[in-house]
Amino acid sequence: MPCPPPTPGTRATLAACRREPADDHFLYRFRHDERPLEEAEGAFLLCGFVMALAEHQQGRTVEASRWFERNRGACGGSGLYAEEFDIAQRRLRGNLPQAFVHAVLRETAARLGE
């Protein structure tokens, strides 16, 4: 079933996400305080894959692929994903393995492959 067309509100929300809680195609959940985002927590991999899905829905296939590939590369040596990824130290943080991240990875791969 195809996704509904994007609305102006959806476009504005994605633009805001690209500006503030994002860093090099990784996405953080929210700003905890005035510290840099990466000091409060790791990039939230689930959010990065959802951003890839949103970009794909908007017809921005190159950006969708960039989000997908960047977050796909954030797995551990065993191929498993945690919920967060520390960009500076290039290591997993949080719960491991994270089933929701694996599920949305599969969903994103299927959508981008259509």
Side-chain angles (χ1 to χ4, degrees):
M1 182 166 141
C3 294
T7 64
T10 305
R11 287 186 199 101
T13 299
L14 285 176
C17 285
R18 284 185 214 107
R19 277 191 314 273
E20 178 55 30
D23 183 9
D24 196 22
H25 290 90
F26 286 107
L27 199 60
Y28 293 88
R29 292 183 292 177
F30 56 89
R31 178 172 293 288
H32 292 269
D33 49 37
E34 294 304 313
R35 293 176 293 171
L37 289 166
E38 66 275 3
E39 289 182 14
E41 69 175 6
F44 208 64
L45 295 175
L46 178 78
C47 294
F49 288 121
V50 170
M51 188 68 162
L53 287 170
E55 294 283 17
H56 178 69
Q57 181 188 7
Q58 296 273 319
R60 297 170 45 96
T61 56
V62 171
E63 274 303 298
S65 295
R66 286 182 181 143
W67 282 97
F68 176 77
E69 289 300 330
R70 193 65 159 149
N71 286 271
R72 185 185 63 80
C75 65
S78 63
L80 296 175
Y81 292 87
E83 64 184 339
E84 297 177 17
F85 184 70
D86 186 318
I87 297 171
Q89 296 184 13
R90 311 290 306 160
R91 65 184 182 101
L92 299 172
R93 291 175 63 174
N95 296 323
L96 175 75
Q98 180 53 253
F100 293 119
V101 174
H102 290 90
V104 77
L105 161 74
R106 290 176 52 106
E107 174 69 19
T108 306
R111 293 283 175 129
L112 295 181
E114 291 176 344

